[in-house]
Amino acid sequence: VQLVESGGGVVLPGRSLRLSCAASGFTFSSYEMNWVRQAPGKGLEWVSSISRSNTIYHAESVMGRFFISRDNSRNTLYLEMNSLKAEDTAVYYCSASGRYSFDHWGQGTLVTVSS
Amino acid sequence: QSALTQPASVSGSPGQSITISCTGTSSDVETYNVVSWYQQRPGQAPKLMIYEGTERPSGVSNRFSGSKFGNTASLTISGLQAEDEADYYCCSYAGTYTSTYVFGPGTKVTVL
């Protein structure tokens, strides 16, 4: 199982960014996929999940600003992040779920929101 | 602020056993028997150690075990080794109406 995130970087407050997660080594379409973030020096925070049938859940802290999606033909997970705030600064991890757990993780991509 | 509560730090000597608690509420840990535990070493991604409260993924040492009583889940590490020094996070499913998953703030395990 391999998950490789990309798309992170430095962005101005209020701007947008799209993260991608390329999956390989497993049947991507059969797994619920997730984004979990970790602010510098802080703990883990669940951000978004998308089920096999494309049901979507977002944390209240990002609802209305972030949008998770998946492309099963490309084995890729996305996170569209809009109206970014300084408090969104974090390493964003892509994760594949088992039964209510985050079984496999990528190495993460750093998003820095700063002027 | 995390919905789950964990001690900030736990320490033990090599060979000893330690237990990390994770206290939730009736909205998460008490209702859903699916607490998971993650180990995170500095500079690395988290690693799943326990799922569904008590189950170990393939490849995880049997020195790691999980349990739950009421609204408190626990992770026990027996035969503590230097390589176990890391941060440990608990996580619970919390339904679909509010925060679907909630994490604890993490516990720093130090091997003395």
Side-chain angles (χ1 to χ4, degrees), chain A:
Chain A
V1 174
Q2 190 170 20
L3 298 168
V4 179
E5 302 93 338
S6 61
V10 180
V11 61
L12 293 169
R15 302 299 291 269
S16 299
L17 204 61
R18 187 175 84 156
L19 305 182
S20 300
C21 171
S24 60
F26 66 105
T27 306
F28 180 74
S29 59
S30 298
Y31 279 74
E32 177 171 292
M33 296 297 296
N34 315 271
W35 290 98
V36 176
R37 69 184 180 183
Q38 185 170 36
K42 302 297 184 182
L44 301 173
E45 179 188 16
W46 170 75
V47 175
S48 302
S49 296
I50 182 167
S51 73
R52 293 175 294 175
S53 58
N54 284 330
T55 302
I56 290 170
Y57 304 98
H58 291 294
E60 289 184 18
S61 59
V62 305
M63 205 169 296
R65 300 188 300 121
F66 289 14
F67 184 74
I68 189 173
S69 62
R70 65 192 299 165
D71 185 339
N72 291 340
S73 67
R74 297 177 182 269
N75 289 345
T76 303
L77 177 72
Y78 301 101
L79 184 67
E80 184 74 35
M81 304 185 295
N82 302 306
S83 302
L84 282 161
K85 306 174 182 180
E87 51 264 42
D88 295 319
T89 294
V91 173
Y92 284 75
Y93 293 103
C94 165
S95 176
S97 281
R99 275 184 52 83
Y100 301 105
S101 58
F102 304 102
D103 290 21
H104 307 289
W105 298 69
Q107 284 305 302
T109 186
L110 175 62
V111 173
T112 303
V113 184
S114 174
S115 55

